[in-house]
Amino acid sequence: MEWYQKEIVLVPRARGFHLVTDEVVRALPDLARFKIGVAHFFIQHTSASLCINENADPSVRVDLETSFNALAPEDAPHYVHTVEGPDDMPAHVKAALIGTSVTIPVTDGRLNLGTWQGLYLCEHRDRGGARRVVVTICGG
């Protein structure tokens, strides 16, 4: 059994749901040496998240953003934490709902995602900046 860990820095993106599967795989050339295993992805931020979802129709990303904005709107009167701007507290709520990590099986040196699945960076701030993701792979 072998362990591998690497920090990936994703390019800054605007608020929204962004398919990052290809960017992540390009940053992991060592993935190819794992015949079988698991890859764990952990985002080191509290106002962005990671998830697996539809990789084909871009309207899914629009609908996800719209839905989460309805769940955690800006300027809600019950927010106490407001010092970092109107998009900050909703970003924390969205990140708590979606989560900071995903685990994907590795098979024959590739992420074993379903046909219509992709890895998403869920950017919840208007300008979140570059996002750091720690990738840990275990396998052989």
Side-chain angles (χ1 to χ4, degrees), residues 8-102:
I8 297 171
V9 179
L10 301 175
V11 299
R13 289 177 168 82
R15 186 156 120 183
F17 285 70
H18 305 280
L19 197 55
V20 295
T21 312
D22 291 341
E23 180 180 356
V24 166
V25 169
R26 278 193 306 274
L28 293 172
D30 290 313
L31 178 64
R33 67 180 206 239
F34 289 88
K35 180 107 176 116
I36 187 170
V38 292
H40 182 262
F41 299 84
F42 174 78
I43 192 163
Q44 296 181 307
H45 301 276
T46 61
S47 56
S49 51
L50 296 173
C51 75
I52 305 291
N53 217 299
E54 162 90 40
N55 69 358
D57 186 348
S59 67
V60 170
R61 290 169 263 195
V62 173
D63 289 344
L64 285 169
E65 177 66 15
T66 301
S67 296
F68 274 90
N69 286 339
L71 288 171
E74 290 188 10
D75 297 319
H78 58 272
Y79 293 151
V80 176
H81 175 75
T82 58
V83 69
E84 294 180 59
D87 68 333
D88 187 52
M89 192 58 224
H92 294 308
V93 172
K94 294 169 190 177
L97 290 171
I98 296 171
T100 57
S101 66
V102 298

